[in-house]
Amino acid sequence: MPDTIFSSFKTVAYEGPASENPLSYRWYDPDRVVNGKPLKDHLRFAVAYWHSLNMQGSDPFGGPTIPRPWFNAGDPIAQAKAKANAAFELFRVLDFPFFCWHDADIAPPADTLAETLKNFHTMVDYLEEKMRSYSTRLLWGTANLFSHPRFMAGASTNPDPEVFAWCAATVKNCLDATKRLGGSNYVLWGGREGYETLLNTDMKQELEQMGRFLTMVVEYKHKIGFKGQILVEPKPKEPTAHQYDFDVATVYSFLKRFNLENEVKLNIEANHALLAGHTFEHEIATAASLNALGSLDINRGDPLLGWDTDQFPNDLWSMTISMIHVIKAGGLNPGGCNFDAKVRRQSFTPEDLIHAHVGGADLCARAFLTAAKIIEDGRLDKIVSDRYAGWKSSDAQAIFSGKKSLDELEKWALDKNINPQPRSGRQEEIENLLVRQIYSDKI
Ligand code: XLS
Ligand code: NI
Ligand code: NI
């Protein structure tokens, strides 16, 4: 194996909660069986190529701070190959079963479409070769249709149909590559699908374009027999103030409008939820209630800042509540937990990147284990089902089955002389119960 900045690190192993070794898993025991399946198959952790291999710590006020030696490895293809060598060593160190990429993360873009695709194919061949010697698989592929200046006015929503065609060609190739590499999902995040100013924007036209584009993606998926899920990733505010894929509810109604709700599911990101004025658990529960939960982008935002800081997660409370909803929705598979998270610009050593993923994986694992226990314990569920118990009566069920109209209900209410009484929502009791369970050492 080629020598990389990650090669000297031992593969991080599960050592249990008592371990003082900072580069060990204390909660993430990949083989621990929960609800009949090993933890690794529930969580399906993935490394995000862009944040872990490409990002070098630049921000609007300063350039790169994080040395990534593959960027000095020769011509652009040599750099991309050196980067891939390091990537697979990082996956090996973390013992993560999956990774995710954008086309532009794995292969250098060029001036023409033909050359860009040529580079991409060279690198897909190379990744395929790497995947023969490593066990890490592809959770999802996606296209970067937002960084290059040609996308400044949008990708599929661009006023220029040639940009739309460029995007179609790119996504076609990314879908082909995802299928070839055995990917479980294909993601579309609408990077610049939104507008800077309404003054130059035909919103109706742009939404029609976006709907047509997604429909073409779904049609092509079926044409090539790609069995993975197509996922849309909601995000508000960034980079444009008005993003069309604002949140789960907005994306779902868009899917309904274009009859795609049975074809496309959602990739939900914690930081995006926060930016939309929601919590991660709210977005997951919303998707679950619509049968639209697909996969998760794991990270956290800074509530004091208004942008996508993409930090590694550390909020056990929110992650546990989120995992309760995930488990109740039937789990994530074929989705997974992709660490769409980056280290801070002062965290420039390879070790920082490993610490970041180890902590994130442990947090998710602990949250998942606790969530499974809370569900098994049943007390929380009992409180909730008691709260809705009235709906189990045959009279109440008749409302749902459409057998009662407004005027019939009026008659029923008057005949029964109903007088509904307030009942406690028991919120503090529930919170106390969850504090005990979430912060318990016995997991
Ligand atoms: C950006 C998004 C992006 C998607 C993939 O904020 O989270 O990283 O996950 O394009
Ligand atoms: Ni994301
Ligand atoms: Ni994001």
Side-chain angles (χ1 to χ4, degrees):
M1 299 289 169
D3 196 31
T4 76
I5 56 171
F6 303 114
S7 301
S8 60
F9 291 90
K10 280 196 301 196
T11 298
V12 177
Y14 172 71
E15 293 181 8
S19 173
E20 293 292 342
N21 172 7
L23 292 186
S24 70
Y25 293 119
R26 298 172 62 228
W27 307 103
Y28 179 50
D29 175 1
D31 299 317
R32 175 162 170 184
V33 174
V34 187
N35 298 337
K37 264 198 324 199
L39 206 45
K40 62 174 179 233
D41 295 347
H42 285 290
L43 294 166
R44 296 166 59 86
F45 287 143
V47 173
Y49 218 93
W50 51 105
H51 284 318
S52 291
L53 284 309
N54 285 5
M55 197 277 304
Q56 291 187 274
S58 302
D59 71 7
F61 307 96
T65 57
I66 305 182
R68 296 296 184 224
W70 42 91
F71 290 118
N72 307 318
D75 68 38
I77 290 288
Q79 290 179 30
K81 288 185 175 172
K83 196 200 297 177
N85 295 341
F88 279 82
E89 274 298 286
L90 174 65
F91 310 155
R92 192 243 341 131
V93 172
L94 297 172
D95 192 21
F96 272 21
F98 293 101
F99 70 113
C100 301
W101 48 249
H102 299 82
D103 53 348
D105 305 329
I106 59 169
D111 290 339
T112 65
L113 180 60
E115 271 174 82
T116 303
L117 293 176
K118 186 166 166 268
N119 287 349
F120 180 61
H121 292 143
T122 304
M123 286 311 301
V124 172
D125 289 346
Y126 195 70
L127 291 193
E128 195 175 41
E129 201 181 306
K130 299 294 303 178
M131 288 171 77
R132 278 198 277 271
S133 17
Y134 289 85
S135 59
T136 310
R137 300 289 143 234
L138 182 62
L139 185 65
W140 47 263
T142 189
N144 178 330
L145 302 176
F146 43 89
S147 293
H148 193 280
R150 80 174 62 83
F151 306 121
M152 70 168 93
S156 71
T157 64
N158 202 290
D160 182 348
E162 289 195 0
V163 176
F164 186 99
W166 184 296
C167 296
T170 303
V171 171
K172 179 219 171 260
N173 279 273
C174 285
L175 266 167
D176 288 339
T178 300
K179 177 175 183 248
R180 201 173 122 201
L181 297 177
S184 303
N185 308 269
Y186 184 82
V187 166
L188 296 108
W189 167 57
R192 293 188 191 273
E193 312 292 38
Y195 63 85
E196 297 286 351
T197 170
L198 256 191
L199 300 177
N200 63 11
T201 301
D202 183 341
M203 197 193 290
K204 185 166 187 292
Q205 162 79 21
E206 293 201 357
L207 290 171
E208 293 286 353
Q209 289 176 208
M210 201 162 90
R212 181 65 198 127
F213 193 84
L214 192 53
T215 305
M216 286 162 70
V217 170
V218 168
E219 285 166 359
Y220 188 70
K221 163 200 157 146
H222 291 302
K223 190 167 174 183
I224 62 172
F226 173 56
K227 298 279 174 262
Q229 292 187 128
I230 303 289
L231 304 171
V232 167
E233 181 175 326
K235 179 177 181 181
K237 290 184 185 171
E238 207 187 52
T240 69
H242 302 277
Q243 293 284 121
Y244 293 137
D245 287 339
F246 189 88
D247 62 359
V248 168
T250 311
V251 171
Y252 189 77
S253 48
F254 177 84
L255 296 178
K256 278 291 247 192
R257 177 180 160 200
F258 290 95
N259 297 317
L260 294 169
E261 74 275 17
N262 298 320
E263 295 281 358
V264 179
K265 295 203 185 296
L266 282 90
N267 183 39
I268 300 173
E269 178 167 319
N271 204 157
H272 298 181
L274 184 73
L275 295 181
H278 301 306
T279 57
F280 195 26
E281 52 268 34
H282 168 90
E283 288 292 79
I284 294 171
T286 305
S289 75
L290 297 165
N291 192 27
L293 177 62
S295 198
L296 300 180
D297 268 7
I298 299 290
N299 61 17
R300 80 174 199 270
D302 187 326
L304 303 180
L305 301 175
W307 63 91
D308 203 11
T309 59
D310 287 333
Q311 288 163 257
F312 280 81
N314 65 3
D315 182 344
L316 189 58
W317 177 270
S318 164
M319 193 62 81
T320 308
I321 313 281
S322 298
M323 290 298 180
I324 291 176
H325 290 283
V326 165
I327 296 173
K328 290 195 163 192
L332 293 170
N333 194 339
C337 293
N338 167 47
F339 283 90
D340 196 351
K342 62 186 179 207
V343 290
R344 301 303 89 191
R345 69 198 298 270
Q346 293 176 60
S347 306
F348 55 83
T349 72
E351 199 162 333
D352 288 317
L353 196 56
I354 301 171
H355 280 295
H357 284 89
V358 166
D362 257 351
L363 182 93
C364 291
R366 183 171 176 169
F368 187 90
L369 292 168
T370 305
K373 234 181 125 184
I374 289 171
I375 293 171
E376 198 194 319
D377 170 86
R379 276 176 290 177
L380 176 63
D381 271 348
K382 170 108 184 19
I383 295 175
V384 178
S385 72
D386 285 354
R387 191 158 182 250
Y388 292 89
W391 283 96
K392 294 195 186 103
S393 75
S394 54
D395 279 344
Q397 283 300 312
I399 296 175
F400 260 121
S401 49
K403 289 196 193 108
K404 276 198 161 54
S405 58
L406 269 191
D407 42 333
E408 283 163 349
L409 270 181
E410 181 207 27
K411 183 172 179 320
W412 180 83
L414 290 171
D415 287 351
K416 284 200 92 173
N417 193 21
I418 60 168
N419 183 17
Q421 296 300 308
R423 286 181 305 138
S424 169
R426 301 168 71 182
Q427 182 172 339
E428 292 77 8
E429 180 190 347
I430 296 173
E431 285 172 356
N432 293 353
L433 173 66
L434 289 188
V435 165
R436 280 212 304 281
Q437 293 176 308
I438 291 175
Y439 300 104
S440 155
D441 281 341
K442 290 187 225 86
I443 296 172

